Amino acid sequence: MKLNTLGLNKANVEKEVSLLNVLLANYQTYYQNLRGVHWNIKGKRFFELHVKFEELYTTAQEQVDEIAERILTLGGVPFHTLESYVKHASVPVGENIFDDEKTVRLVIDTISALLPLEREILDFSDEINDEGTNSLMSDFISGQEKNVWMLKAYLNEVI
């Protein structure tokens, strides 16, 4: 078994980097969705949602950076082209969504699509004893679960 400088099995790290790159592509789409709804929101809830979406896209931008830096820490190369993002992303893409409830629904649906990807990485990073990635995914998941709960409450829905 060949270990890298971090003490992790190189073959396992290659697989993990691939998983993280898919997550990165999906996060870039999530980020862009948030920018779009922030810019285009209309209606009676404009002021509160405009601010909330800015908060969410600021966090997403930081998370994109954290994912890319984790990939680099593991010795990989993060995706960095729109072509790669489009090719590897599977989360919903929001286009021409202006209605307050539809924008919130898009954010919930996108986070709900990110969570299984993050849990897959969490399970794999745990399996290969990669505490750094494990901790990162754990933090992402708990924050997003809270966001889903709050956004669903905003729509008067239950989890």
Side-chain angles (χ1 to χ4, degrees), residues 7 15 35 37 77 83 86 98 103:
K15 178 180 177 182
R35 293 300 301 231
V37 295
V77 176
E83 182 180 10
V86 170
F98 311 107
T103 60

Side-chain angles (χ1 to χ4, degrees), residues 36-48:
V37 295
H38 169 76
W39 292 329
N40 294 307
I41 183 71
K42 293 183 180 1
K44 294 177 184 175
R45 299 177 181 168
F46 169 84
F47 290 105
E48 61 194 287

